[in-house]
Amino acid sequence: MSFLQFENKRFLVMGVANRKSVAWAITKTLEEQGAEVIHSVRSPERLESLKKLLGDRKAYICDVEYPEQIEALAKEVGQAHGPIDGIVHSIAFANYSEGFKPFHETVRKDFLQATSISAFSLVEVANAFKPYLSPDASVVSIGISSTDVTAENYGYMAPIKAALETCSYNLAKSFGADTRVRFNTVNAGPLKTSASAGIPGYIESYLYAEKLTFRKQNLSTQEVANTAVFLLSPASSGINGQGIVVNAGMDRNYFDKDVISAAMRPD
C-alpha cells in the first residue's frame, strides 16, 4: 500500500473550470495515485465545455447557489458511488455588477450572493453529503493565503474567503461530535489561472507577490494541488480544522531588501 493510501478511494471534486484550474490539477494527481474522481460542475454549458477534458469521467451538474441542487447532487452521487472518501470544494464566484468599487461601496446583493456560493455552500454540501461520507472522509476547500490583506483588485472576496475558512473550521468541530470526518482549507498564494486573468490589475499583484517569496518564484497550481491531495489522504489524519498556507513564504517576507530598495527608489 502506498503512503497516501488512495487505492479503492473515491472523491468528489467540485469546481473544475478548465485545464488550468486547481480542481483539475487535484483530479489528475488523485488519479495518478489510484483514486477514482467524480465531478460536479455548475451548469450544462460548463459541462459541455469540459466534455473533451473530462472524457468518460462521471460528471454531474450542480449550481450551489440553489440548495435543492446540492441536495439532489448528494443523493444522486451518494446512492450511485457512495461511500465518498472525500470532497474538494474549489468554488468561488463574485458578481461585480457595478465594477470594482472601494470596499465600503460594496453592493449588498453582490456580497450576499458571493458569500452564499463561495463560502456557505461548503456548509450545505457537507450537510447534504453527511449520510454518504465514509467514516474518516476528508473535505478540503481552496482558500487564499491573505484574507487579512486589503487587495484592491480582489474586491470584496478576501472577507468572503475568510468566511469560507471559518465555515470549514466550524464544520470540523460540528462533525467531530459523531464522525471522524475532517475539514481543512488550502490557503494559496497568487496563481496564474484563467479566473485570475480576468481580475483588473492582477498581473501587477502577481509579480509583486513573486518578489516577496523566499525563492523569488511564484506558486505553481500543482503545488497547491499537492497540498490538497495530501489533506485528502489518510496520511494527514492528524490535521483537522486547519488552514494550510501555501504561498512560498510570501507572507513572511514583507521586508525583503530588494522590495524595500525598489519601493524607496526615487521616481
Side-chain angles (χ1 to χ4, degrees):
M1 181 177 290
S2 69
F3 172 69
L4 294 177
Q5 302 175 44
F6 281 138
E7 293 81 2
N8 301 314
K9 299 284 187 178
R10 187 173 291 119
F11 297 89
L12 172 67
V13 173
M14 308 180 73
V16 170
N18 51 58
R19 192 177 299 275
K20 294 182 179 180
S21 63
V22 173
W24 180 245
I26 293 171
T27 292
K28 295 295 291 180
T29 307
L30 284 170
E31 291 178 340
E32 288 167 1
Q33 298 299 317
E36 178 185 352
V37 180
I38 303 155
H39 292 89
S40 76
V41 298
R42 65 179 175 83
S43 68
E45 293 75 20
R46 176 56 57 83
L47 184 58
E48 180 64 26
S49 73
L50 292 170
K51 183 178 293 185
K52 184 176 180 180
L53 186 65
L54 293 179
D56 59 358
R57 297 174 177 86
K58 295 288 185 182
Y60 297 84
I61 295 169
C62 177
D63 186 337
V64 298
E65 189 171 4
Y66 304 100
E68 64 274 15
Q69 291 194 28
I70 296 175
E71 293 286 345
L73 175 71
K75 184 175 182 180
E76 191 170 7
V77 171
Q79 292 181 351
H81 308 285
I84 303 300
D85 297 296
I87 298 175
V88 175
H89 181 282
S90 184
I91 298 171
F93 174 83
N95 177 23
Y96 298 105
S97 63
E98 300 180 12
F100 282 84
K101 292 175 170 290
F103 183 72
H104 64 275
E105 296 180 16
T106 299
V107 178
R108 175 193 287 257
K109 64 179 177 62
D110 291 347
F111 187 85
L112 294 179
Q113 182 189 32
T115 302
S116 172
I117 295 171
S118 306
F120 191 70
S121 64
L122 175 65
V123 180
E124 295 180 313
V125 167
N127 186 51
F129 273 89
K130 191 171 187 284
Y132 306 107
L133 293 174
S134 62
D136 57 351
S138 175
V139 179
V140 175
S141 305
I142 307 302
I144 60 173
S145 69
S146 51
T147 56
D148 58 344
V149 174
T150 52
E152 291 182 5
N153 58 11
Y154 204 51
Y156 52 72
M157 281 302 290
I160 291 175
K161 283 292 190 177
L164 171 68
E165 292 177 40
T166 303
C167 286
S168 177
Y169 309 155
N170 280 274
L171 284 166
K173 171 67 173 177
S174 183
F175 267 61
D178 59 356
T179 79
R180 294 176 65 87
V181 176
R182 296 180 294 118
F183 291 82
N184 295 289
T185 65
V186 177
N187 302 338
L191 292 170
K192 192 180 294 183
T193 64
S194 297
S196 64
I199 300 174
Y202 182 84
I203 186 63
E204 288 83 2
S205 296
Y206 177 85
L207 293 173
Y208 171 67
E210 186 164 57
K211 294 181 184 300
L212 286 178
T213 64
F214 292 135
R215 67 192 188 186
K216 307 303 180 185
Q217 179 184 351
N218 262 330
L219 291 175
S220 70
T221 302
Q222 187 61 53
E223 288 176 310
V224 177
N226 289 345
T227 304
V229 168
F230 172 68
L231 289 173
L232 289 167
S233 77
S236 63
S237 61
I239 303 175
N240 194 14
Q242 302 297 317
I244 308 300
V245 174
V246 185
N247 66 6
M250 179 190 73
D251 61 333
R252 297 289 188 259
N253 200 28
Y254 293 129
F255 297 104
D256 181 270
K257 62 181 178 61
D258 293 334
V259 174
I260 292 173
S261 175
M264 300 306 293
R265 188 178 302 141
D267 293 334

